[in-house]
Amino acid sequence: LVDVTPGTRLVGASGGDDVFSTLSIGCPATYFGQTYTFAYVSSNGFLALGSNAGATAHLNGPLPSTATPNGVVAPFWDDLNPGAGGGVYVGLTGVAPNRTLHVEWHNVPHFTFSGSGTVTFELSLKENGDVRFQYLDTDFGNPNWNAGASATAGIERPDGVIARQLSFNQAQLTNGRAVSCAYGAQPPPPPPVTVST
């Protein structure tokens, strides 16, 4: 985990329940073949690229889905409430063309009327579109929420048609886990068909 808590605290995403911040990424990031300079960071454990529609969504869903939000980069999409504690922080590391945006949800509780423990996790988005999720602490003290039991993790193309889902309502996002997803080149076209007579 790259600790970015000394960096910029996102006032919007940190300031309440079901809110988001519009973030200038600080470098052009290519994601699913498109370049973005802005991201919409949700208090609920994900960011969206391309549109802020659905960036406040607290009810997680499976990926892919053409329903908003789309262009989702979700390390831990759940009903979180940084307005009750913790915060969402961002930082940029590296030099062009190898810069990386880090977004950290730090000591954030689950939304509840009776209190909860907190979680800390991070996403890292490289200029070339590679993504890494890191989970420092995913234990709320409640088995219904712990380790992603009520969360979605994965990445989704901005049109919502293609995605790579890591987990959906499964307790797989355990403490100390890290997952990387690299954007590869398109496969070469098949060789031409030759017909002999």
Side-chain angles (χ1 to χ4, degrees), residues 130-156:
D130 291 355
V131 175
R132 182 174 174 86
F133 299 152
Q134 296 184 88
Y135 303 96
L136 181 65
D137 177 8
T138 58
D139 187 352
F140 290 105
N142 184 323
N144 293 320
W145 306 327
N146 291 346
S150 60
T152 298
I155 61 172
E156 180 189 55

Side-chain angles (χ1 to χ4, degrees), residues 1-2 31 47 73-76 100-105 121-135 153-155 166 176-183:
L1 190 78
V2 177
Y31 182 73
L47 66 77
V73 184
F76 202 101
T100 303
L101 171 71
H102 305 278
V103 183
E104 180 180 346
W105 287 259
F121 58 91
E122 181 177 272
L123 74 79
S124 299
L125 174 64
K126 295 185 177 182
E127 278 188 83
N128 69 356
D130 291 355
V131 175
R132 182 174 174 86
F133 299 152
Q134 296 184 88
Y135 303 96
I155 61 172
L166 173 62
R177 185 172 185 188
V179 179
S180 295
C181 190
Y183 180 77

Side-chain angles (χ1 to χ4, degrees), residues 72-180:
V72 169
V73 184
F76 202 101
W77 175 12
D78 203 347
D79 192 3
L80 307 178
N81 186 11
V88 183
Y89 297 83
V90 298
L92 192 67
T93 60
V95 295
N98 298 305
R99 291 168 289 190
T100 303
L101 171 71
H102 305 278
V103 183
E104 180 180 346
W105 287 259
H106 181 77
N107 290 341
V108 174
H110 201 277
F111 177 80
T112 177
F113 293 108
S114 58
S116 97
T118 64
V119 294
T120 297
F121 58 91
E122 181 177 272
L123 74 79
S124 299
L125 174 64
K126 295 185 177 182
E127 278 188 83
N128 69 356
D130 291 355
V131 175
R132 182 174 174 86
F133 299 152
Q134 296 184 88
Y135 303 96
L136 181 65
D137 177 8
T138 58
D139 187 352
F140 290 105
N142 184 323
N144 293 320
W145 306 327
N146 291 346
S150 60
T152 298
I155 61 172
E156 180 189 55
R157 201 167 72 180
D159 62 6
V161 174
I162 294 175
R164 177 68 175 171
Q165 182 174 279
L166 173 62
S167 66
F168 174 58
N169 294 341
Q170 297 166 298
Q172 296 181 351
L173 311 178
T174 51
N175 292 351
R177 185 172 185 188
V179 179
S180 295

